[in-house]
Amino acid sequence: MQDMSPPITNLRMEAKPDRLTWDLHGNATNIKCIKDSKQILKAEQDRYCEYHALSLCKVSNYTVRVGNPPFSTWILFPEPDGDSEAAAKNLTCWVHDMTVLTCRWAVGRAAPRGVQYRLSWRVGSGKDLECPRYHVDERGVRVGCRWDDVSRYQGGFLVQVHGASAGARIPCKEDMVDFFQQERLSPPNVTIRCNLTHAFLEWKNVSHFNRRVRYQLSIQRFRDNVNSLDLLHPGTFVVRIRAEAYLAGIRSDWSAPQRFVCDSAGDTLSRVWWAALLIALAMLLALLFMFLLCRRFSVVQKILPPVPNVKDPLWDLGQNYKLVVWDIGQPSPEDCPVAQVQVQETA
């Protein structure tokens, strides 16, 4: 007699460790699990299918299909519970200011009076952790949460918002937070160091999770009123900057304009002092050059003294003549005037 009992019974979801499991009868083979008619997994040892980050808020259809003998069965998980219009609405989370995570949501339209929400997150297969700091509206209902430091969670985690009320059951809402994709960049603060010829602009990294961030600068020079990246002799200029995580397609807003002055009175005074020092140095170098030049000629004269005049052997033999120059037409030195002298005798 042929056994007509189904090969799979007691199909169930074990929330921890996130397994879809069943009781197997007979020699059923080629078993697969299908989630919402699109995600297909091959069963482990034909006994279960394991899911990562299993949703506890969104109702999904889980179908188990047997290849031999042909058979299929399904369940809904989680089971529909309460009015979905009472659940938190527009749940949104984002990372900002490097490591801060903020989540916001709105109160459901059908939420009963006295409703309260609780946010928790799950990392891996560990236990759920609750929000450390809530934001509340004017009625005292929680509508937001803030973590000051999520830097140790590199990839992200699953966030869930559960509703509670004394008179009704409220479904939960969830959001898979991806720090890489859901970061909101802020423009960095620019600092500057100036010297006489250049301006050095510096800023700090604005992302902890996006490693490839590039920065765009808009620089307006007052002298020519055009955008330029040439900061030689910068003078006075205005800078705006924005950051872009180009792999994630995220871009910050432009920063507020920052005005920098690199041609202040102090710089002018410095240039005057530098000019005076350069002039003094040039004068010292000129004096040193003249001193070295004079010393050089003195040394040359000592090494190479002047050659004495050559004597004429015909004229210089024992003679000591002196040459006298006179003009033509003038009496020669030998034509001296002669005065006559008379000698008178006295008695």
Side-chain angles (χ1 to χ4, degrees), residues 180 183 185 206-207 209-215 243-252:
F180 180 77
E183 183 175 17
L185 298 177
V206 296
S207 177
F209 302 102
N210 284 281
R211 299 302 182 184
R212 296 187 178 182
V213 179
R214 58 189 176 192
Y215 300 88
E244 180 184 15
Y246 55 92
L247 293 182
I250 303 170
R251 178 182 293 175
S252 74

